[in-house]
Amino acid sequence: MSATAHIDIKKTADLARLRLTAEEETAYTAQLERILEYVGQLDEADTASVEAAAHPHELFDVMRSDAARPGFVMEAALSNAPRRSGDQFMVPKVVE
Amino acid sequence: MPDALHTLTIAELRTLLQKREISPADIIHDLEASITARDPEIGAYLHRDTAAALAAAEKADLSAPLGGIPVAIKDVLNVQGQPATAGSKMLRGYISPYDATCIAKLKSAGAIPFGKLNMDEFAMGSSNENSAWQLTRNPWDTTRVPGGSSGASAAAVAARTAIASLGSDTGGSIRQPAAFCGITGLKPTYGRVSRYGLIAYASSLDQVGPMTRTVEDAALVLQAIAGHDPQDSTSLNAPVPDYSAALRRGVSGMKIGLPREYFIDGIDPAVRAAVEAGVKELERQGATVREISLPHTRFAIAAYYIIATAEASANLARFDGVRYGHRCDTPADLRDMYDRSRAEGFGPEVKRRIILGTYVLSSGYYDAYYRKAQKVRTLIARDFAEAFKEVDLIASPVTPTAAFKIGKNAGDPLQMYLADIFTIANNLSGVCGISVPCGYSAEGLPIGLQLTGRPLGEEDLLRGAFAYEQATDWHRRLPQKS
């Protein structure tokens, strides 16, 4: 991290699956570089012997029995589909 | 029938219901009239299904703890058969096929979910200005914001257009609007309330909690929604105590800490004075007060905006136009569908946070930003763990100022983020907190006192907040015209 943080906005938007306009690219680049400059102050925290915390509490694997349980009926699962065909979600063609 | 049922608390309405002096339908009708009169100016409600609420009122079990009580719901929670947009165009037209666990628990406690409330898009914001649908105004001054992201959940309770509401809090989104609107907002310990059915923003920080007129009501609603849920693997499998029983234990002998890092320059003098007077009142009632230190406070906002945006970028990847949510017209291929559906469906603040989160997780930056922020998170959590060896509660302001003007911070995301300084460390460390009204600014705007408790210390929060509330009448004041 450094005070002159630079963000490759086109690459990052591509990774995020977001198509940005030229105006958005300019605006976000300036805003995000300012935010990155601010978060750069984390460099001042001494974390040499500190474990990373992904979560507030100690976490253990939570298991449940491998048994059938009631779930969504198909009609409920499909009820908000942008496009459907019968019992399936429709998407643009994936294979040639 | 008593007049103005919409001005009563849950506890007062329950007494009238049990004496059969009123019916649940009377409350719904009265609220409906209040909403019709007041909400056009406030803009809290996105949706309500009065017929469904009246049907539920007919069947309400008055022997249940919240029997017949309508509760308004932040639009980030799924209520079966109702819209849930999370304040986003991405979810225009979405109808929840299931109940969130906290909603199912409210219903089994006899409550009636009534109305969906506006919010910052996907809970990202501190002012409700990031809603894709409408502006929500502060009932105390309609030129000002109600706070956020549960801004409308606070505004409706303050304006007496809801008896109580549910909000969610990822970095202060229950406590900050509660402070701005002069109501009580309780953010439970991470894991105390199930997140199943809450549209996720940052999964290691999000919690659902009550927003109410009184501390007693907060205890009643928390009682109904708290508890372990096998559907949320992060929910805590710990017994739920009798929260109402904790209210009247008093603060005598409690130890309260004042973090020196929270009483800094930049706090509005009226806020500082009101909070200090609040602490004095607790001291007068027998609590002991001492200064403490939370030394890593200054890193909290930076750590939060890395961790929360990283988690948001992963959580919001689910909005791909396939199974639900917005899909662009005539996509050329799958990739075009993803890119354009997301570009069209998400608003500016959500895009900003997704991009920031994607960046800090991307190859080459992960260790420098995300891993570093997670380590700082450990330091912040240790600060609280150390402090709670010495004290039972931590008292502080909720916000550096009272509610700000609509538009004031709209063009400056960083400035907006910096206002979250006093609420954000709570979420990073997973402790619990409450905001209660503790005074008014010279302009007549409410000010909140924040009490922070150790993990699963909700009884301590309620004890402290109730003792303070009983000695004051700030919570009884009404915004004009309510």
Side-chain angles (χ1 to χ4, degrees):
Chain A
M1 270 186 274
S2 74
T4 53
H6 175 72
I7 183 164
D8 182 342
I9 194 75
K10 281 189 198 297
K11 181 183 167 210
T12 312
D14 187 63
L15 289 171
R17 304 293 186 263
L18 275 174
R19 186 162 305 167
L20 300 184
T21 63
E23 294 76 41
E24 284 177 322
E25 286 181 359
T26 309
Y28 287 149
T29 301
Q31 288 167 344
L32 293 170
E33 288 184 355
R34 203 169 147 234
I35 293 167
L36 288 171
E37 196 180 313
Y38 174 80
V39 304
Q41 66 171 290
L42 291 183
D43 283 345
E44 296 162 27
D46 180 3
T47 55
S49 57
V50 179
E51 293 279 316
H55 200 270
H57 306 310
E58 232 175 315
L59 254 195
F60 302 97
D61 288 336
V62 179
M63 312 294 269
R64 61 175 166 80
S65 60
D66 184 17
R69 302 181 301 164
F72 274 178
V73 295
M74 195 183 302
E75 202 44 51
L78 285 160
S79 61
N80 286 292
R83 275 194 71 196
R84 64 183 280 190
S85 170
D87 292 338
Q88 299 174 68
F89 296 103
M90 286 285 281
V91 294
K93 195 163 86 171
V94 180
V95 287
E96 295 302 319
Chain B
M1 188 180 96
D3 289 342
L5 298 181
H6 61 279
T7 64
L8 303 182
T9 65
I10 294 175
E12 290 163 346
L13 290 168
R14 284 287 300 153
T15 304
L16 294 173
L17 286 165
Q18 285 177 308
K19 287 197 232 159
R20 299 292 193 271
E21 289 181 24
I22 58 168
S23 74
D26 293 335
I27 307 173
I28 304 283
H29 286 302
D30 190 82
L31 266 182
E32 183 63 34
S34 173
I35 295 165
T36 305
R38 194 79 213 276
D39 200 55
E41 193 186 11
I42 303 299
Y45 281 85
L46 293 178
H47 172 82
R48 59 191 194 279
D49 186 339
T50 311
L54 287 169
E58 281 299 310
K59 291 183 289 186
D61 173 7
L62 296 186
S63 69
L66 297 178
I69 301 294
V71 178
I73 309 295
K74 185 179 182 181
D75 205 34
V76 74
L77 287 162
N78 281 286
V79 180
Q80 188 170 21
Q82 308 275 322
T85 69
S88 182
K89 279 193 271 183
M90 182 58 89
L91 284 168
R92 186 201 301 272
Y94 178 86
I95 303 293
S96 300
Y98 69 107
D99 276 334
T101 298
C102 61
I103 299 299
K105 285 171 92 77
L106 272 186
K107 286 179 177 174
S108 60
I112 302 164
F114 177 45
K116 299 300 294 285
L117 296 167
N118 196 30
M119 55 184 283
D120 287 299
E121 184 175 0
F122 286 107
M124 299 178 186
S126 312
S127 67
N128 266 41
E129 292 167 291
N130 293 336
S131 168
W133 306 124
Q134 64 198 36
L135 211 53
T136 298
R137 296 171 183 277
N138 192 312
W140 295 88
D141 176 349
T142 52
T143 67
R144 292 177 188 268
V145 304
S149 65
S150 313
S153 296
V157 171
R160 273 52 181 172
T161 56
I163 305 299
S165 64
L166 289 188
S168 66
D169 189 317
T170 307
S173 284
I174 287 174
R175 291 159 287 154
Q176 183 256 26
F180 278 8
C181 292
I183 65 158
T184 296
L186 192 154
K187 182 258 165 198
T189 304
Y190 182 81
R192 178 74 292 186
V193 177
S194 169
R195 294 180 296 105
Y196 180 72
L198 166 72
I199 298 171
Y201 161 21
S203 301
S204 78
L205 304 163
D206 297 338
Q207 261 297 286
V208 177
M211 304 181 73
T212 56
R213 310 245 177 87
T214 63
V215 178
E216 181 180 24
D217 281 4
L220 290 169
V221 176
L222 181 63
Q223 196 76 46
I225 62 176
H228 181 243
D229 176 15
Q231 303 267 50
D232 173 2
S233 64
T234 64
S235 92
L236 293 169
N237 199 348
V240 179
D242 182 343
Y243 291 120
S244 295
L247 293 172
R248 290 174 179 81
R249 285 180 198 147
V251 292
S252 181
M254 283 188 105
K255 295 190 282 277
I256 296 175
L258 302 181
R260 69 175 71 101
E261 294 82 3
Y262 282 48
F263 290 86
I264 47 171
D265 292 344
I267 300 180
D268 184 283
V271 171
R272 179 192 287 263
V275 169
E276 287 175 350
V279 173
K280 281 244 164 20
E281 172 55 34
L282 292 168
E283 199 169 19
R284 190 191 66 76
Q285 294 187 34
T288 56
V289 176
R290 71 172 73 168
E291 188 180 83
I292 58 163
S293 177
L294 298 168
H296 297 91
T297 297
R298 71 188 179 102
F299 299 120
I301 291 174
Y304 173 89
Y305 278 97
I306 291 173
I307 291 168
T309 59
E311 293 185 14
S313 74
N315 272 324
L316 272 57
R318 73 192 55 174
F319 295 99
D320 57 5
V322 175
R323 294 155 301 154
Y324 47 77
H326 176 71
R327 181 186 293 192
C328 65
D329 285 336
T330 60
D333 54 27
L334 205 55
R335 183 58 195 269
D336 182 51
M337 183 179 87
Y338 296 155
D339 291 357
R340 281 201 292 128
S341 298
R342 290 163 63 77
E344 292 168 9
F346 292 134
E349 181 63 25
V350 175
K351 289 181 189 174
R352 189 153 41 233
R353 295 198 196 190
I354 289 174
I355 291 169
L356 180 59
T358 303
Y359 179 79
V360 300
L361 289 176
S362 63
S363 177
Y365 300 101
Y366 183 92
D367 285 329
Y369 289 109
Y370 185 62
R371 179 65 62 185
K372 180 76 183 183
Q374 287 189 314
K375 289 182 176 178
V376 171
R377 181 176 191 171
T378 300
L379 294 174
I380 289 166
R382 279 187 199 163
D383 284 355
F384 280 92
E386 286 302 312
F388 283 125
K389 288 179 186 166
E390 306 289 322
V391 298
D392 303 306
L393 289 172
I394 296 170
S396 71
V398 182
T399 55
T401 65
F404 49 86
K405 291 270 188 186
I406 291 166
K408 176 172 177 275
N409 291 329
D412 190 345
L414 183 58
Q415 205 52 45
M416 189 79 96
Y417 300 170
L418 295 179
D420 297 339
I421 177 72
F422 300 135
T423 50
I424 243 168
N426 172 312
N427 302 74
L428 289 168
S429 54
V431 298
C432 58
I434 193 168
S435 171
V436 285
C438 72
Y440 290 81
S441 70
E443 300 98 330
L445 301 168
I447 296 169
L449 168 67
Q450 177 169 241
L451 298 175
T452 302
R454 51 173 71 88
L456 295 177
E458 282 82 2
E459 289 170 283
D460 291 337
L461 290 184
L462 292 162
R463 244 176 104 179
F466 186 79
Y468 175 74
E469 183 193 55
Q470 295 312 296
T472 59
D473 68 352
W474 310 116
H475 62 289
R476 289 187 223 282
R477 292 201 194 176
L478 288 169
Q480 285 186 341
K481 292 192 272 183
S482 290

